[in-house]
């Protein structure tokens, strides 16, 4: 077998992961927002709101939202940058991007650019954006270090990287509850609502395989960011990493 | 979370045009409250300010002081006077430090509340009261000593508790 990586708890050929992840998101795209609301009890909206507030994005800024899916971050960024700014909503998955486009049109949000891209090879020039965000997307990327390096490259000096992602909780009690919920309840709900139990089993597994807060912070600093800190949300179930390019 | 509040307040000021980043742009200021072991970096870049607990990166200016001196500074105490009294230590360009202090003085947030997250509410409140007394006094050091003595020997007579009618 060639080089391997993880896909949930499975080891798969590195070259295969992208296709497998695409399969997951092709399957869940149409129910993605509904499932997020149900599975997080609506908390994902608060986590994203905090992310937007932490961005310090201003009128006229250029923002790239990677793995932006159904566009909830892009919508808020659009309000912040105004007509003089630019928001690019990107996703590797065409079905998710299609849902994003539909969602923005339904909400009357215009002026957002859509692009299908791989976070490991971002098709923008160096020093383009004031802010790059990726919410609940990094754990699905095959080569995370490469992706973070690319995000660093396309950020302007002084630009801000925001990584919102599931992480590790320190609370033993919360961890027990969360493990039970993740592996017993989430896949079942995925089966009932999105008719796809397997994809939500992958979601739970991929969260466990994702680097913890300190490891991800080191990865961000190693990619060349001058500063990085993280804020735990909901007891560390989710963490927001914020890197500043100097 | 306290950094977040401070960062939001500073950038709101900048957005409103109430303050100008000017000479601070491109500078990183390391700020330490020694008695609380509280350190933050103010990264002034790209026309905004990031406030971060990550203090591992290089800084242009280092500012060290005690929390009571910090609160006095925010209430209008002169930076130069505090420097002269060795109550604040600055490594780097003092003018840059002064610009940050000017910005912080304009923020309408309750720093006592922020400090309380690190010290517990009562201690933060006491530090704040000491800072206020410190500023009003002709002889700040003596006032501070008096207040601390009163607080330790006869707490009920301390100015710190007068508002509660203790």
């Amino acid at each position: 077998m060639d080089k391997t990586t993880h896909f949930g708890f499975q080891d798969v050929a590195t070259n295969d992961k992208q296709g497998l992840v695409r399969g997951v998101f092709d399957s869940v795209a149409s129910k993605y927002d509904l499932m997020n609301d149900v599975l997080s009890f609506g908390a994902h909206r608060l986590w994203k709101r905090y992310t937007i507030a932490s961005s310090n994005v201003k009128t006229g800024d250029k923002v790239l939202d990677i793995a932006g899916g159904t566009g909830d971050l892009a919508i808020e960024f659009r309000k912040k940058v105004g007509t003089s700014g630019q928001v690019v909503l990107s996703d590797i998955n065409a079905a998710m991007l299609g849902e994003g486009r539909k969602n923005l049109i339904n909400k009357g949000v215009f002026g957002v650019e859509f692009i299908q891209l791989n976070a490991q090879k971002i098709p923008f020039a160096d020093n383009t954006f004031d802010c790059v965000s990726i919410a609940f997307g990094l754990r699905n990327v095959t080569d995370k270090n490469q992706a973070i390096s690319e995000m660093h490259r396309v950020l302007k000096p002084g630009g801000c990287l925001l990584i919102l992602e599931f992480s590790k909780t320190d609370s033993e009690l919360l961890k027990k509850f969360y493990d039970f919920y993740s592996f017993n309840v989430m896949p079942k709900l995925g089966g009932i609502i999105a008719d796809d139990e397997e994809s939500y089993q992958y979601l739970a597994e991929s969260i466990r395989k994702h680097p913890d807060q300190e490891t991800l912070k080191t990865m961000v600093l190693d990619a060349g960011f001058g500063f990085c800190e993280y804020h735990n949300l909901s007891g560390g179930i989710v963490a927001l990493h914020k890197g500043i390019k100097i | 979370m306290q950094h977040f509040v401070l960062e939001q307040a500073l950038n709101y000021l900048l957005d409103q045009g109430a303050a100008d980043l000017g000479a601070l742009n491109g500078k990183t200021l390391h700020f330490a409250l020694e008695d609380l072991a509280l350190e933050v970096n103010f990264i002034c870049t790209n026309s905004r300010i990031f406030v971060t607990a990550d203090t591992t990166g290089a800084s242009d200016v280092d500012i060290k002081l005690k929390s009571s001196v910090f609160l006095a500074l925010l209430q209008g105490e002169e930076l130069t006077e505090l420097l002269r009294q060795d109550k604040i230590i600055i490594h780097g360009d003092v003018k840059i430090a002064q610009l940050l202090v000017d910005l912080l003085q304009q923020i309408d947030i309750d720093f006592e509340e922020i400090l309380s997250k690190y010290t517990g509410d009562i201690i933060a409140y006491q530090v704040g009261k000491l800072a206020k007394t410190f500023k009003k006094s002709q002889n700040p050091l003596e006032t501070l000593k008096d207040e601390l003595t009163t607080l330790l020997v006869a707490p009920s007579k301390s100015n710190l508790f007068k508002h509660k009618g203790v």
Side-chain angles (χ1 to χ4, degrees), chain B residues 19-39:
Chain B
D20 182 14
L21 205 55
L24 279 174
N25 215 358
K27 305 286 184 194
T28 297
L29 295 93
H30 174 247
F31 194 92
L33 295 182
E34 291 172 304
D35 52 333
L36 301 184
L38 171 62
E39 294 181 56

Side-chain angles (χ1 to χ4, degrees), chain A residues 96-152:
Chain A
M96 290 296 290
L97 212 51
E99 287 298 320
R101 194 187 296 269
K102 240 191 299 184
N103 193 26
L104 265 63
I105 291 171
N106 287 342
K107 289 181 174 158
V109 178
F110 300 97
V112 170
E113 296 165 37
F114 295 85
I115 180 168
Q116 188 175 357
L117 63 74
N118 184 337
Q120 293 168 208
K121 203 170 181 183
I122 301 173
F124 287 100
D126 299 358
N127 308 323
T128 300
F129 294 99
D130 298 285
C131 178
V132 172
S133 62
I134 178 165
F136 304 113
L138 188 64
R139 73 179 188 284
N140 298 313
V141 174
T142 307
D143 188 340
K144 295 173 183 62
N145 288 315
Q146 172 65 20
I148 296 169
S149 289
E150 277 290 276
M151 294 172 204
H152 180 267

Side-chain angles (χ1 to χ4, degrees), chain A residues 50 53-58 61 130 157-160 217 221 226-229 231 242 244 246, chain B residues 1 3-4 7-8 11 14-15 28 41 43 45-54 57-58:
Chain A
Y50 181 72
S54 296
S55 70
N56 285 327
V57 162
K58 293 170 180 261
D61 276 357
D130 298 285
C160 176
K217 178 182 172 178
L221 290 171
F227 296 89
C228 179
E229 68 175 355
H231 298 273
K242 186 168 168 178
I244 311 295
I246 300 298
Chain B
M1 194 62 81
H3 308 148
F4 172 76
E7 184 177 283
Q8 296 295 301
N11 286 293
L14 298 175
D15 279 349
T28 297
N41 268 355
I43 306 164
T45 181
N46 199 20
S47 304
R48 67 207 78 194
I49 299 178
F50 295 99
V51 183
T52 171
D54 177 8

Side-chain angles (χ1 to χ4, degrees), chain B residues 95-112:
Chain B
K95 283 182 192 161
I96 298 293
Q98 180 69 61
L99 288 170
L100 177 66
V101 170
D102 290 347
L103 268 181
L104 292 171
Q105 283 175 339
Q106 290 181 62
I107 300 176
D108 186 22
I109 59 175
D110 189 344
F111 279 96
E112 284 172 38

